[in-house]
Amino acid sequence: MKAIIPVAGLGTRMLPATKAIPKEMLPIVDKPMIQYIVDEIAAAGIKDIVLVTHGSKNSIENHFDTQFELESTLETRVKRQLLDEVRSITPPGVNIMHIRQGKALGLGHAILSAKPMIGDDDFVVVLPDVLIDNLASNPAQDNLAAMVQRFNDNAACQIMVNPVPKERVSNFGVVDVNGSSLSSGQFARIQALVEKPATADAPSNLAITGRYVLHKNVWKQLAATTPGVGGEIQLTDAIAGYLHAGGAIEAYHIADRTFDCGDKLGLAMAYVEHALRHKDIGQEFAEFLRGLKV
């Protein structure tokens, strides 16, 4: 099974920082956001990753490419630890491929753009600006890994969800699980999906959270989906079409928490949390924060 990461978006929520730098390359301490995402996918046992890119995103492709001059310089200067870190940017055995999205017609269109590299196979979709904390979970067993295992067991599409405050449901795709009460790491059958519903119309407060394991028949629905909310081809609408056609879909309650790193506050929170845990700077950074007068 291959994973698709759509990175062709313009990152308008993060302007002006993203005017010349892809949002996926914004750093969280010493690694860009996209590297955390690739590490998560690799930990779930997926070896083939397709990046759906845009002409302005060459730096993402370059980040995962080999840079011989840099490696030679680090080796000459006996910077062994830095050399190892640079060489491990792409996890062992992982293949990263790239394909361009010709027009910005929405997430569903971006995913459909990857079909020539996926074929008529089941596939995984991971959004690059949703970072899973993994402090209380194991990426080799929980979250995306658990969803892949569940799909392999019962062939039902898997969608990660996370509860959000009721007043914020209009910002997300929301699932209807027929009133089921989901706890961390649990699954429930989905009855319906709604993209960015009005607060009064939302079937639950379980928001779709950027991780999908999808049956190959979803490709047909994507190809038939017309523009929806925002005039874009929505992935949620295609999945809803698959459900209405009799396909089985389950919600998976995230086993940890997320940071919305496509948002300035979310990125700042992720940066602070990861800086505090960093083996080299964590203690000194914590002392700095304690001394701040706000």
Side-chain angles (χ1 to χ4, degrees), residues 231-258:
E232 298 182 335
I233 298 173
Q234 300 290 346
L235 177 60
T236 301
D237 291 343
I239 297 173
Y242 174 78
L243 180 65
H244 293 153
I249 307 177
E250 292 183 336
Y252 170 81
H253 190 301
I254 188 172
D256 214 308
R257 58 179 181 143
T258 63

mmCIF file of all heavy atoms in Angstrom, residues 231-258:
data_model
loop_
_atom_site.group_PDB
_atom_site.id
_atom_site.type_symbol
_atom_site.label_atom_id
_atom_site.label_comp_id
_atom_site.label_asym_id
_atom_site.label_seq_id
_atom_site.Cartn_x
_atom_site.Cartn_y
_atom_site.Cartn_z
ATOM 1 N N GLY A 231 -16.033 25.541 -4.119
ATOM 2 C CA GLY A 231 -15.785 25.341 -5.537
ATOM 3 C C GLY A 231 -14.680 24.343 -5.821
ATOM 4 O O GLY A 231 -14.148 24.295 -6.935
ATOM 5 N N GLU A 232 -14.331 23.521 -4.820
ATOM 6 C CA GLU A 232 -13.238 22.561 -4.960
ATOM 7 C C GLU A 232 -13.770 21.130 -4.936
ATOM 8 O O GLU A 232 -14.866 20.866 -4.430
ATOM 9 C CB GLU A 232 -12.221 22.749 -3.830
ATOM 10 C CG GLU A 232 -11.550 24.113 -3.824
ATOM 11 C CD GLU A 232 -10.528 24.237 -2.715
ATOM 12 O OE1 GLU A 232 -10.650 23.523 -1.691
ATOM 13 O OE2 GLU A 232 -9.593 25.037 -2.864
ATOM 14 N N ILE A 233 -12.988 20.222 -5.482
ATOM 15 C CA ILE A 233 -13.315 18.794 -5.415
ATOM 16 C C ILE A 233 -12.880 18.281 -4.048
ATOM 17 O O ILE A 233 -11.684 18.262 -3.744
ATOM 18 C CB ILE A 233 -12.624 18.028 -6.555
ATOM 19 C CG1 ILE A 233 -13.132 18.533 -7.903
ATOM 20 C CG2 ILE A 233 -12.861 16.526 -6.423
ATOM 21 C CD1 ILE A 233 -12.407 17.962 -9.099
ATOM 22 N N GLN A 234 -13.840 17.921 -3.229
ATOM 23 C CA GLN A 234 -13.569 17.574 -1.839
ATOM 24 C C GLN A 234 -13.391 16.062 -1.678
ATOM 25 O O GLN A 234 -14.212 15.273 -2.159
ATOM 26 C CB GLN A 234 -14.722 18.045 -0.936
ATOM 27 C CG GLN A 234 -14.965 19.543 -0.957
ATOM 28 C CD GLN A 234 -13.863 20.327 -0.274
ATOM 29 O OE1 GLN A 234 -13.028 19.766 0.439
ATOM 30 N NE2 GLN A 234 -13.856 21.629 -0.479
ATOM 31 N N LEU A 235 -12.342 15.662 -0.994
ATOM 32 C CA LEU A 235 -12.131 14.249 -0.693
ATOM 33 C C LEU A 235 -13.282 13.695 0.142
ATOM 34 O O LEU A 235 -13.724 12.561 -0.068
ATOM 35 C CB LEU A 235 -10.797 14.070 0.047
ATOM 36 C CG LEU A 235 -10.454 12.644 0.492
ATOM 37 C CD1 LEU A 235 -10.362 11.702 -0.701
ATOM 38 C CD2 LEU A 235 -9.141 12.633 1.290
ATOM 39 N N THR A 236 -13.778 14.494 1.079
ATOM 40 C CA THR A 236 -14.893 14.042 1.921
ATOM 41 C C THR A 236 -16.116 13.684 1.075
ATOM 42 O O THR A 236 -16.805 12.695 1.360
ATOM 43 C CB THR A 236 -15.267 15.129 2.941
ATOM 44 O OG1 THR A 236 -14.129 15.420 3.759
ATOM 45 C CG2 THR A 236 -16.407 14.675 3.843
ATOM 46 N N ASP A 237 -16.395 14.467 0.032
ATOM 47 C CA ASP A 237 -17.545 14.173 -0.825
ATOM 48 C C ASP A 237 -17.362 12.840 -1.555
ATOM 49 O O ASP A 237 -18.314 12.070 -1.713
ATOM 50 C CB ASP A 237 -17.739 15.291 -1.848
ATOM 51 C CG ASP A 237 -18.196 16.600 -1.214
ATOM 52 O OD1 ASP A 237 -18.658 16.562 -0.059
ATOM 53 O OD2 ASP A 237 -18.067 17.651 -1.866
ATOM 54 N N ALA A 238 -16.135 12.569 -2.003
ATOM 55 C CA ALA A 238 -15.872 11.299 -2.691
ATOM 56 C C ALA A 238 -16.041 10.122 -1.738
ATOM 57 O O ALA A 238 -16.611 9.090 -2.111
ATOM 58 C CB ALA A 238 -14.460 11.312 -3.279
ATOM 59 N N ILE A 239 -15.559 10.269 -0.515
ATOM 60 C CA ILE A 239 -15.702 9.195 0.472
ATOM 61 C C ILE A 239 -17.179 9.003 0.812
ATOM 62 O O ILE A 239 -17.649 7.867 0.984
ATOM 63 C CB ILE A 239 -14.864 9.508 1.723
ATOM 64 C CG1 ILE A 239 -13.376 9.568 1.354
ATOM 65 C CG2 ILE A 239 -15.085 8.455 2.799
ATOM 66 C CD1 ILE A 239 -12.483 10.040 2.485
ATOM 67 N N ALA A 240 -17.926 10.108 0.906
ATOM 68 C CA ALA A 240 -19.363 10.006 1.165
ATOM 69 C C ALA A 240 -20.060 9.260 0.027
ATOM 70 O O ALA A 240 -20.966 8.453 0.261
ATOM 71 C CB ALA A 240 -19.965 11.390 1.343
ATOM 72 N N GLY A 241 -19.622 9.509 -1.207
ATOM 73 C CA GLY A 241 -20.179 8.782 -2.344
ATOM 74 C C GLY A 241 -19.896 7.292 -2.256
ATOM 75 O O GLY A 241 -20.748 6.459 -2.577
ATOM 76 N N TYR A 242 -18.701 6.949 -1.817
ATOM 77 C CA TYR A 242 -18.340 5.540 -1.623
ATOM 78 C C TYR A 242 -19.242 4.904 -0.558
ATOM 79 O O TYR A 242 -19.702 3.769 -0.718
ATOM 80 C CB TYR A 242 -16.878 5.453 -1.208
ATOM 81 C CG TYR A 242 -16.399 4.071 -0.827
ATOM 82 C CD1 TYR A 242 -16.086 3.128 -1.797
ATOM 83 C CD2 TYR A 242 -16.258 3.703 0.515
ATOM 84 C CE1 TYR A 242 -15.645 1.862 -1.452
ATOM 85 C CE2 TYR A 242 -15.815 2.440 0.865
ATOM 86 C CZ TYR A 242 -15.508 1.523 -0.117
ATOM 87 O OH TYR A 242 -15.077 0.271 0.236
ATOM 88 N N LEU A 243 -19.512 5.654 0.512
ATOM 89 C CA LEU A 243 -20.387 5.155 1.577
ATOM 90 C C LEU A 243 -21.801 4.940 1.049
ATOM 91 O O LEU A 243 -22.427 3.893 1.312
ATOM 92 C CB LEU A 243 -20.390 6.159 2.734
ATOM 93 C CG LEU A 243 -21.258 5.813 3.946
ATOM 94 C CD1 LEU A 243 -20.732 4.569 4.651
ATOM 95 C CD2 LEU A 243 -21.287 6.989 4.927
ATOM 96 N N HIS A 244 -22.329 5.894 0.292
ATOM 97 C CA HIS A 244 -23.687 5.779 -0.243
ATOM 98 C C HIS A 244 -23.817 4.632 -1.242
ATOM 99 O O HIS A 244 -24.906 4.071 -1.429
ATOM 100 C CB HIS A 244 -24.088 7.091 -0.914
ATOM 101 C CG HIS A 244 -24.224 8.232 0.044
ATOM 102 N ND1 HIS A 244 -24.042 9.549 -0.325
ATOM 103 C CD2 HIS A 244 -24.490 8.247 1.376
ATOM 104 C CE1 HIS A 244 -24.202 10.318 0.736
ATOM 105 N NE2 HIS A 244 -24.469 9.555 1.778
ATOM 106 N N ALA A 245 -22.685 4.275 -1.868
ATOM 107 C CA ALA A 245 -22.696 3.155 -2.815
ATOM 108 C C ALA A 245 -22.576 1.805 -2.112
ATOM 109 O O ALA A 245 -22.495 0.764 -2.779
ATOM 110 C CB ALA A 245 -21.561 3.317 -3.822
ATOM 111 N N GLY A 246 -22.575 1.819 -0.791
ATOM 112 C CA GLY A 246 -22.537 0.572 -0.024
ATOM 113 C C GLY A 246 -21.198 0.218 0.565
ATOM 114 O O GLY A 246 -21.044 -0.855 1.162
ATOM 115 N N GLY A 247 -20.209 1.095 0.421
ATOM 116 C CA GLY A 247 -18.895 0.822 0.982
ATOM 117 C C GLY A 247 -18.867 0.974 2.499
ATOM 118 O O GLY A 247 -19.612 1.779 3.059
ATOM 119 N N ALA A 248 -18.028 0.200 3.134
ATOM 120 C CA ALA A 248 -17.912 0.241 4.598
ATOM 121 C C ALA A 248 -16.803 1.216 4.993
ATOM 122 O O ALA A 248 -15.693 1.162 4.457
ATOM 123 C CB ALA A 248 -17.607 -1.144 5.150
ATOM 124 N N ILE A 249 -17.112 2.085 5.961
ATOM 125 C CA ILE A 249 -16.146 3.065 6.452
ATOM 126 C C ILE A 249 -16.219 3.103 7.968
ATOM 127 O O ILE A 249 -17.311 3.099 8.552
ATOM 128 C CB ILE A 249 -16.418 4.472 5.891
ATOM 129 C CG1 ILE A 249 -16.520 4.442 4.368
ATOM 130 C CG2 ILE A 249 -15.339 5.446 6.323
ATOM 131 C CD1 ILE A 249 -16.851 5.791 3.750
ATOM 132 N N GLU A 250 -15.065 3.162 8.593
ATOM 133 C CA GLU A 250 -15.000 3.254 10.041
ATOM 134 C C GLU A 250 -14.229 4.502 10.470
ATOM 135 O O GLU A 250 -13.326 4.966 9.775
ATOM 136 C CB GLU A 250 -14.314 2.019 10.638
ATOM 137 C CG GLU A 250 -15.101 0.743 10.484
ATOM 138 C CD GLU A 250 -14.423 -0.443 11.146
ATOM 139 O OE1 GLU A 250 -13.192 -0.408 11.313
ATOM 140 O OE2 GLU A 250 -15.139 -1.408 11.480
ATOM 141 N N ALA A 251 -14.620 5.020 11.640
ATOM 142 C CA ALA A 251 -13.890 6.107 12.279
ATOM 143 C C ALA A 251 -12.932 5.524 13.296
ATOM 144 O O ALA A 251 -13.283 4.581 14.013
ATOM 145 C CB ALA A 251 -14.866 7.064 12.962
ATOM 146 N N TYR A 252 -11.736 6.083 13.334
ATOM 147 C CA TYR A 252 -10.742 5.685 14.336
ATOM 148 C C TYR A 252 -10.445 6.900 15.202
ATOM 149 O O TYR A 252 -10.026 7.940 14.699
ATOM 150 C CB TYR A 252 -9.461 5.196 13.666
ATOM 151 C CG TYR A 252 -8.300 4.998 14.628
ATOM 152 C CD1 TYR A 252 -8.200 3.846 15.398
ATOM 153 C CD2 TYR A 252 -7.305 5.976 14.775
ATOM 154 C CE1 TYR A 252 -7.145 3.674 16.287
ATOM 155 C CE2 TYR A 252 -6.249 5.806 15.649
ATOM 156 C CZ TYR A 252 -6.173 4.643 16.407
ATOM 157 O OH TYR A 252 -5.134 4.476 17.282
ATOM 158 N N HIS A 253 -10.680 6.778 16.491
ATOM 159 C CA HIS A 253 -10.412 7.869 17.433
ATOM 160 C C HIS A 253 -8.923 7.938 17.704
ATOM 161 O O HIS A 253 -8.313 6.967 18.170
ATOM 162 C CB HIS A 253 -11.175 7.635 18.733
ATOM 163 C CG HIS A 253 -11.167 8.802 19.681
ATOM 164 N ND1 HIS A 253 -10.009 9.351 20.182
ATOM 165 C CD2 HIS A 253 -12.190 9.523 20.219
ATOM 166 C CE1 HIS A 253 -10.297 10.349 20.997
ATOM 167 N NE2 HIS A 253 -11.621 10.477 21.018
ATOM 168 N N ILE A 254 -8.318 9.048 17.374
ATOM 169 C CA ILE A 254 -6.881 9.219 17.541
ATOM 170 C C ILE A 254 -6.431 8.788 18.941
ATOM 171 O O ILE A 254 -7.115 9.034 19.933
ATOM 172 C CB ILE A 254 -6.474 10.680 17.261
ATOM 173 C CG1 ILE A 254 -4.955 10.832 17.248
ATOM 174 C CG2 ILE A 254 -7.130 11.638 18.232
ATOM 175 C CD1 ILE A 254 -4.483 12.195 16.785
ATOM 176 N N ALA A 255 -5.276 8.148 18.999
ATOM 177 C CA ALA A 255 -4.757 7.629 20.271
ATOM 178 C C ALA A 255 -3.848 8.646 20.962
ATOM 179 O O ALA A 255 -3.148 8.297 21.904
ATOM 180 C CB ALA A 255 -3.999 6.321 20.035
ATOM 181 N N ASP A 256 -3.845 9.855 20.477
ATOM 182 C CA ASP A 256 -3.032 10.903 21.092
ATOM 183 C C ASP A 256 -3.698 12.229 20.773
ATOM 184 O O ASP A 256 -4.915 12.311 20.707
ATOM 185 C CB ASP A 256 -1.590 10.844 20.559
ATOM 186 C CG ASP A 256 -0.556 11.246 21.605
ATOM 187 O OD1 ASP A 256 -0.731 12.335 22.188
ATOM 188 O OD2 ASP A 256 0.394 10.486 21.843
ATOM 189 N N ARG A 257 -2.947 13.273 20.543
ATOM 190 C CA ARG A 257 -3.501 14.562 20.162
ATOM 191 C C ARG A 257 -2.749 15.078 18.943
ATOM 192 O O ARG A 257 -1.715 14.534 18.558
ATOM 193 C CB ARG A 257 -3.395 15.578 21.301
ATOM 194 C CG ARG A 257 -1.979 15.802 21.771
ATOM 195 C CD ARG A 257 -1.920 16.828 22.886
ATOM 196 N NE ARG A 257 -0.557 17.045 23.315
ATOM 197 C CZ ARG A 257 -0.071 18.227 23.677
ATOM 198 N NH1 ARG A 257 -0.844 19.289 23.653
ATOM 199 N NH2 ARG A 257 1.182 18.338 24.059
ATOM 200 N N THR A 258 -3.281 16.120 18.332
ATOM 201 C CA THR A 258 -2.669 16.672 17.130
ATOM 202 C C THR A 258 -2.331 18.147 17.313
ATOM 203 O O THR A 258 -2.871 18.825 18.183
ATOM 204 C CB THR A 258 -3.600 16.552 15.919
ATOM 205 O OG1 THR A 258 -4.786 17.332 16.172
ATOM 206 C CG2 THR A 258 -3.968 15.116 15.644
#
